[in-house]
């Protein structure tokens, strides 16, 4: 079995961003300690149940993990180390919001064993950040990256967004230049999605947002696709760019269909070809774990055809694409026997390519990934 990845969900944020539909809550600081206690209990339960399995990646995400006081984060990391066999050299990532960490806190997190940071920078334009409801400004982002580098983190990622209200192509290009100048090892760039029910989506429905048009969004996409690799940050997934050797090993597990265990509220797992998810409410999570009830409320075993579509979809997100022998090993059937016709059509459309070992998305295919992914779904 592949080594396990652990995802730890911290469902707290200082303030809810206007576009966010993630499972995160603000104004519940009084639950920090009880949540951490329950989380450590679940970590101990799961570590024991799985006989302290070998782990090579840990990802502490959210929410905003960095809103938790450092002693609680230290408690979580110590609990993971006590209950799982964390390989030496494991990647241990934590998400942090630039407005929530000081240099001293970063030094303490490094000492606690965190060796990769992912900062939710999102933009280097203060007006755009305000429009998103972010709590930080550009100066905070510049400062935290500098602090993190100064205290010895050598694996730092920043997230950026494009397609924002008020964002221009020229402005986004300047943001890419600022991002590259920080010399981080990894950059993720996501297009804004207007999720139903969020304040930003409502404002868009009411015609209150100056969103970039389709041509501008395409120009932004092209700008990042060309500029970041020219700065030594090679694309390795649709939205992710890294210097050689700094690809996020944890996220690669998702795209490579490898097992991971989710811990905390609203956390998903993929183990033994089964997907499970825990309860989203913080109080319910605490109550379930501390009374010996399972926090798992969703279990799903995909049918073989759905599982194949998902496997292909995830693998094709990476620039390496899908290894044909891995597909055969996983499903016991040949990819071309099942999908030869679909592949031929997508290849004629210039969206997919293949050699003897793998299939992958062309540059056009990356841009129109959804068309490709839909083609592999069962009828
Ligand atoms: S910091 Fe992240 S998780 Fe928290 S509200 Fe903003 S987008 Fe959502």
């Amino acid at each position: 079995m592949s080594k396990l990845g652990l995802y730890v969900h911290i469902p707290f944020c200082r303030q809810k961003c206007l576009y966010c539909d993630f499972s995160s809550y603000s104004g519940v600081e009084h639950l920090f300690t009880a949540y951490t206690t329950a989380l450590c209990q679940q970590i101990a339960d799961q570590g024991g149940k799985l006989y302290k399995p070998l782990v090579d990646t840990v990802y502490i995400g959210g929410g905003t993990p960095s809103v938790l006081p450092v002693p609680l984060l230290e408690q979580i990391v110590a609990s993971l180390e006590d209950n799982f066999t964390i390989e030496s050299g494991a990647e241990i990532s934590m998400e942090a919001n630039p407005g929530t960490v000081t240099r001293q806190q970063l030094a303490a997190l490094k000492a606690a064993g965190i060796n990769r940071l992912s900062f939710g920078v999102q933009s280097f334009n203060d007006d755009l950040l305000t429009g998103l409801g972010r709590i930080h400004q550009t100066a905070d982002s510049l400062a935290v990256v500098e602090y993190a580098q100064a205290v010895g983190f050598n694996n730092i990622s920043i997230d950026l967004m494009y397609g924002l209200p008020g964002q221009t192509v020229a402005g986004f290009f300047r943001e890419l230049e600022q991002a590259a100048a920080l010399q981080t090892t990894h950059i993720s760039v996501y297009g804004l999605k207007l999720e139903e029910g969020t304040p930003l989506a409502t404002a868009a429905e009411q015609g209150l947002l100056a969103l970039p048009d389709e041509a501008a969004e395409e120009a932004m996409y092209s700008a990042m696709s060309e500029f970041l690799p020219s700065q030594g940050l090679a694309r390795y997934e649709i939205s992710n760019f890294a210097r050689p050797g700094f690809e996020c090993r944890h996220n690669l597990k998702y795209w490579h269909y490898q097992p991971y265990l989710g811990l905390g509220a609203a956390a998903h797992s993929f183990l033994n070809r089964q997907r499970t998810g825990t309860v989203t409410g913080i109080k319910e999570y605490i109550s379930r774990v501390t009374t010996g009830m399972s926090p798992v409320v969703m279990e799903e075993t995909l049918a073989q055809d759905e599982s194949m579509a998902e496997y292909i979809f995830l693998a094709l997100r990476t620039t390496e694409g899908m290894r044909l022998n891995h597909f055969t090993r996983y499903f016991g059937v040949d990819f071309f026997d099942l999908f030869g016709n679909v592949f031929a059509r997508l290849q004629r459309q210039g969206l997919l390519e293949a050699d003897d070992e793998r299939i992958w998305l062309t540059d056009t295919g990356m841009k129109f990934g959804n068309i490709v992914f839909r083609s592999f779904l069962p009828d």
Side-chain angles (χ1 to χ4, degrees):
M1 177 167 151
S2 317
K3 293 167 193 168
L4 194 61
L6 300 179
Y7 172 76
V8 181
H9 191 66
I10 308 297
F12 304 113
C13 287
R14 195 164 288 167
Q15 171 184 299
K16 197 78 183 163
C17 301
L18 299 174
Y19 58 96
C20 179
D21 76 337
F22 300 146
S23 183
S24 70
Y25 305 86
S26 57
V28 287
E29 289 75 8
H30 59 286
L31 295 175
F32 283 0
T33 303
Y35 182 78
T36 303
T37 304
L39 177 58
C40 292
Q41 175 67 53
Q42 192 201 6
I43 290 170
D45 293 347
Q46 289 296 308
K49 202 167 144 195
L50 296 169
Y51 304 106
K52 223 176 165 181
L54 191 57
V55 165
D56 61 348
T57 67
V58 175
Y59 194 100
I60 304 175
T64 308
S66 53
V67 299
L68 274 191
V70 169
L72 296 183
L73 289 165
E74 287 170 339
Q75 195 181 326
I76 293 166
V77 175
S79 174
L80 292 169
E81 283 168 349
D82 286 347
N83 293 287
F84 290 87
T85 308
I86 305 209
E87 190 178 75
S88 116
E91 176 189 270
I92 305 182
S93 300
M94 193 184 103
E95 291 178 349
N97 190 324
T100 59
V101 275
T102 63
R103 183 181 168 131
Q104 288 75 11
Q105 286 166 327
L106 289 172
L109 291 170
K110 176 117 199 337
I114 306 291
N115 57 28
R116 181 177 184 276
L117 289 172
S118 174
F119 287 118
V121 168
Q122 316 309 357
S123 173
F124 289 102
N125 177 319
D126 287 344
D127 291 337
L128 299 185
L129 287 169
T130 303
L132 292 173
R134 300 289 307 191
I135 58 168
H136 71 280
Q137 297 275 274
T138 301
D140 299 314
S141 299
L142 300 177
V144 287
V145 171
E146 192 188 317
Y147 295 157
Q149 287 165 336
V151 302
F153 280 99
N154 63 5
N155 194 355
I156 301 171
S157 179
I158 58 176
D159 285 356
L160 281 185
M161 295 176 79
Y162 69 96
L164 304 180
Q167 195 175 38
T168 63
V169 178
F172 179 62
F173 193 76
R174 279 195 299 278
E175 295 191 61
L176 288 172
E177 287 180 322
Q178 279 181 279
L182 287 176
Q183 295 294 319
T184 60
T185 46
H186 190 283
I187 299 183
S188 303
V189 195
Y190 301 102
L192 173 69
K193 284 207 185 81
L194 291 168
E195 303 289 355
E196 209 183 321
T198 59
L200 218 57
T202 307
E205 279 159 24
Q206 294 168 347
L208 300 174
L209 296 185
L211 288 164
D213 61 20
E214 209 174 302
E217 271 210 47
E218 274 205 28
M220 291 179 196
Y221 177 90
S222 299
M224 78 179 191
S225 305
E226 285 160 26
F227 178 72
L228 293 176
S230 79
Q231 301 300 301
L233 290 145
R235 172 180 257 156
Y236 69 101
E237 193 266 351
I238 290 179
S239 306
N240 286 282
F241 301 79
R243 300 193 190 280
F246 288 95
E247 298 80 9
C248 178
R249 284 157 50 195
H250 184 81
N251 286 344
L252 279 168
K253 282 187 186 291
Y254 300 145
W255 302 315
H256 289 163
Y257 228 53
Q258 289 171 346
Y260 54 88
L261 173 68
L263 296 155
H268 289 89
S269 302
F270 180 51
L271 288 176
N272 304 320
R273 302 192 179 201
Q274 188 187 45
R275 294 198 180 279
T276 56
T278 55
V279 65
T280 53
I282 301 177
K283 283 188 180 160
E284 193 178 348
Y285 170 79
I286 295 170
S287 150
R288 278 174 172 256
V289 174
T290 52
T291 56
M293 261 177 88
S294 168
V296 172
V297 290
M298 186 281 290
E299 288 182 354
E300 178 185 46
T301 305
L302 291 182
Q304 174 95 332
D305 53 357
E306 291 169 329
S307 183
M308 285 180 184
E310 188 180 69
Y311 184 102
I312 296 166
F313 155 78
L314 290 169
L316 286 180
R317 291 189 61 93
T318 65
T319 50
E320 186 199 11
M322 190 191 80
R323 298 227 152 244
L324 295 164
N325 62 343
H326 289 187
F327 181 90
T328 305
R329 199 183 313 144
Y330 198 89
F331 293 107
V333 283
D334 181 78
F335 170 80
F336 284 107
D337 284 352
L338 283 180
F339 295 108
N341 290 341
V342 177
F343 173 81
R345 175 167 52 80
L346 294 168
Q347 190 183 36
R348 276 197 305 278
Q349 292 172 335
L351 300 172
L352 269 186
E353 247 335 315
D355 62 16
D356 289 345
E357 295 182 351
R358 58 195 182 97
I359 60 166
W360 65 91
L361 290 175
T362 61
D363 288 347
T364 314
M366 282 257 165
K367 225 181 222 177
F368 302 105
N370 285 342
I371 297 175
V372 178
F373 303 147
R374 274 201 301 271
S375 306
F376 290 102
L377 286 173
D379 296 331

